[in-house]
Amino acid sequence: MNQQGICTCHPGATVWLTGLPSAGKTTLARALAARLRADGRRVEVLDGDEVREFLSAGLGFSREDRHTNVARIGFVAELLAANGVKVLVPVIAPFADSREAVRKRHAAESTTYLEVHVATPVEVCSVRDVKGLYAKQAAGEISGLTGVDDPYEAPESPDLRIESHQQTVQESAAALHALLTERGLA
């Protein structure tokens, strides 16, 4: 136990899964969460769509609004992680400076932050098209789709790069679990 009475035997951490829409971020986060919970770990998934509905309602998709959304999610993630929770954050976070601001906030609080790039090519994502966004963009119904007609700045040196289109969800979750184990976080 630390001075605040928090068990440090299973430290918290934020694991940010960034990638294009339909890259497999949420699927991977949920698979890893199930595995960690089965091991008795405290886990939360801060899904980008859910956060937009409940914490960031009213924000649009301008660069400023996207930065605000990422900052809010980063704040909540750091609070949970500082209290011993493994926080899995499957959120696009398209701009490197926004992700870096979250990393710095975690560092300032001595909270572990890992960045995972779910590096699925846009061609694969557009076929998966979980929410129909690529089809809507192609039909001219929407614009500003990350990675298509809006920028996505892929991480230059993530803690882990997962190419979800080349392995199963279970294999991707195992690779991420191995990273957590290696870092003493699993």
Side-chain angles (χ1 to χ4, degrees):
M1 296 273 183
N2 66 13
Q3 291 176 338
Q4 292 79 31
I6 298 168
C7 175
T8 55
C9 50
H10 300 293
T14 295
V15 180
W16 200 288
L17 296 99
T18 180
L20 296 174
S22 297
K25 301 175 300 295
T26 300
T27 301
L28 174 55
R30 289 191 175 136
L32 180 61
R35 181 170 179 176
L36 291 170
R37 285 185 185 112
D39 291 341
R41 303 298 185 260
R42 295 173 55 204
V43 181
E44 289 296 334
V45 176
L46 297 181
D47 179 68
D49 292 333
E50 292 173 1
V51 170
R52 272 205 173 264
E53 181 179 351
F54 297 106
L55 184 63
S56 294
L59 289 179
F61 291 91
S62 68
R63 184 178 180 107
E64 182 179 325
D65 282 356
R66 288 175 189 251
H67 180 77
T68 298
N69 185 49
V70 168
R72 288 178 183 176
I73 296 167
F75 174 78
V76 172
E78 194 282 322
L79 285 176
L80 289 166
N83 285 282
V85 178
K86 304 290 185 290
V87 187
L88 308 178
V89 185
V91 173
I92 296 169
F95 301 109
D97 61 341
S98 296
R99 294 189 307 267
E100 184 59 23
V102 171
R103 180 185 298 277
K104 286 180 178 175
R105 173 177 181 70
H106 279 68
E109 300 296 328
S110 299
T111 304
T112 300
Y113 174 89
L114 301 174
E115 186 174 76
V116 176
H117 182 204
V118 183
T120 309
V122 69
E123 299 80 19
V124 175
C125 294
S126 66
V127 170
R128 290 179 180 173
D129 204 10
V130 177
K131 300 173 202 156
L133 297 174
Y134 293 93
K136 288 179 181 177
Q137 191 277 336
E141 296 172 24
I142 63 168
S143 63
L145 181 58
T146 302
V148 177
D149 59 353
D150 213 42
Y152 175 73
E153 299 169 357
E156 291 183 18
S157 55
D159 295 283
L160 180 64
R161 186 176 319 277
I162 292 178
E163 303 203 11
S164 70
H165 60 293
Q166 296 182 348
Q167 56 193 33
T168 67
V169 172
Q170 293 74 22
E171 289 169 333
S172 294
L176 187 44
H177 190 272
L179 174 67
L180 294 176
T181 301
E182 172 187 306
R183 303 282 176 97
L185 299 167

